Structure formats: C-alpha cells, structure tokens
Amino acid sequence: MNDLMNATDKMKIRDDILKVQEGMQQMIANGDAIDKSSECTLKHYFTPKDEKYGCSTYAREILLPKGSLVIGKIHRHQHLNFITKGRVRVYTEFGEKYFEAPCTFISEVGLKRAVYAEEDTIWTTVHLTEFSDESELDKIEQEVISPTYKEMGLLVSNIIKGELI
C-alpha cells in the first residue's frame, strides 16, 4: 500500500509540474507574463570523443537569474549536477529540496524539476553523449531528454487533458 501511495504521490507531483509549465506557457502566450528565458544564458562545453569509452562528455551551464522560475525537461539518464554559484529551491516528485553553492548531486532517471532561483545561480549538468560538437545539440537533446513521461515508461495523471499519459 505504501508503494502505491508513493507512486500516486509521484504522479500527482509530476502532473503539478506539468500544469505549472502549461500555465506559464499560456500566460506568456496571452501576454500576462514576460518570457525571461533569454536572461537564462547557456554555455556548452565538450570533451573530445574518448576512443576507449566511445563517448564524449557534454556540460551545459546555465545562469538562472534571481527570481526566475524554470521548468526543466525529463532526463533519460542519471547525470551529474554542479551548482557553483547561488541558491535554488527545487520541486520534483521526490519532494522539495534546497541547493546552495557549492554543491554536487546526481539527477535521477526520468526527473523533471521546477526550479526557483533564490539568488543568481550558475547550474551545470554533465551528460555522456556520442556527439561532441555544439552543432549537434539537437541530437544530444534527443539522446538525453525524453519528450514525455510516457516515452520513459513513467505514468502521470494529466488532469488538464483528462487522460493518463
């Protein structure tokens, strides 16, 4: 029963994060909110492909300005995260967490976050990938990001659309 409750709680939180994301997108489309994503500057770093392991390392560094609310994407694989500046409040299906620089942690498979920057924050994620160039960012995204929970084999009760996805 506890595992079922935990799964139900996780599905509700996943759904809540999706609802917040959809609400933010709608508010921006209606002109009720300003899209400040351009202020969240990105830098990309790559190692050359390692012949022994057959992959490259890709790091994505983002600046999250104080007061920004960002909804992340669904990650296919565990990966390393580094916060080198700032403080954030993070909501996931595993609950609310606070991260303050300097810190390092591992993201879980299938995780999607709602992140509130309490201070200007620099957050870097590190992924292994078969690609090793910024011109291949779309291929890297397909490799490390899932467009839906369903594609990951994870369920979410989508109250907005009245269906289970």
Side-chain angles (χ1 to χ4, degrees):
M1 182 78 163
N2 237 358
D3 288 340
L4 182 58
M5 277 183 58
N6 287 338
T8 301
D9 291 344
K10 285 181 182 182
M11 283 181 19
K12 173 155 179 12
I13 293 170
R14 288 178 191 159
D15 190 60
D16 289 347
I17 291 171
L18 289 171
K19 283 191 291 188
V20 168
Q21 180 177 4
E22 189 170 301
M24 287 171 56
Q25 291 168 338
Q26 190 62 48
M27 289 173 67
I28 291 167
N30 293 342
D32 298 327
I34 298 170
D35 182 358
K36 294 195 169 196
S37 60
S38 63
E39 295 176 21
C40 297
T41 57
L42 283 172
K43 293 181 184 176
H44 304 280
Y45 302 91
F46 295 88
T47 64
K49 192 171 208 174
D50 184 290
E51 295 308 317
K52 180 177 178 182
Y53 297 105
C55 62
S56 299
T57 305
Y58 163 58
R60 180 177 188 260
E61 179 186 276
I62 188 168
L63 167 65
L64 303 172
K66 179 180 179 176
S68 59
L69 176 63
V70 177
I71 308 294
K73 297 182 179 180
I74 303 167
H75 292 91
R76 295 183 187 274
H77 313 283
Q78 287 186 331
H79 61 279
L80 293 171
N81 294 263
F82 303 93
I83 296 179
T84 53
K85 175 184 176 183
R87 184 176 66 233
V88 292
R89 186 179 332 161
V90 179
Y91 301 92
T92 72
E93 63 196 67
F94 298 103
E96 180 179 1
K97 293 184 179 179
Y98 291 88
F99 295 108
E100 185 169 355
C103 73
T104 302
F105 57 97
I106 298 171
S107 286
E108 298 299 324
V109 171
L111 197 65
K112 183 175 181 77
R113 297 182 181 89
V115 177
Y116 178 74
E118 294 185 346
E119 297 177 354
D120 286 350
T121 299
I122 297 175
W123 184 321
T124 305
T125 59
V126 178
H127 302 273
L128 297 177
T129 177
E130 65 179 277
F131 305 102
S132 59
D133 188 82
E134 197 165 336
S135 67
E136 300 174 299
L137 288 173
D138 58 334
K139 294 176 185 174
I140 294 169
E141 178 139 336
Q142 290 174 6
E143 187 178 36
V144 302
I145 300 297
S146 177
T148 65
Y149 286 111
K150 185 176 183 179
E151 188 173 301
M152 293 283 303
L154 302 170
L155 295 178
V156 59
S157 164
N158 192 338
I159 296 169
I160 294 172
K161 296 180 182 162
E163 61 187 34
L164 193 64
I165 61 171

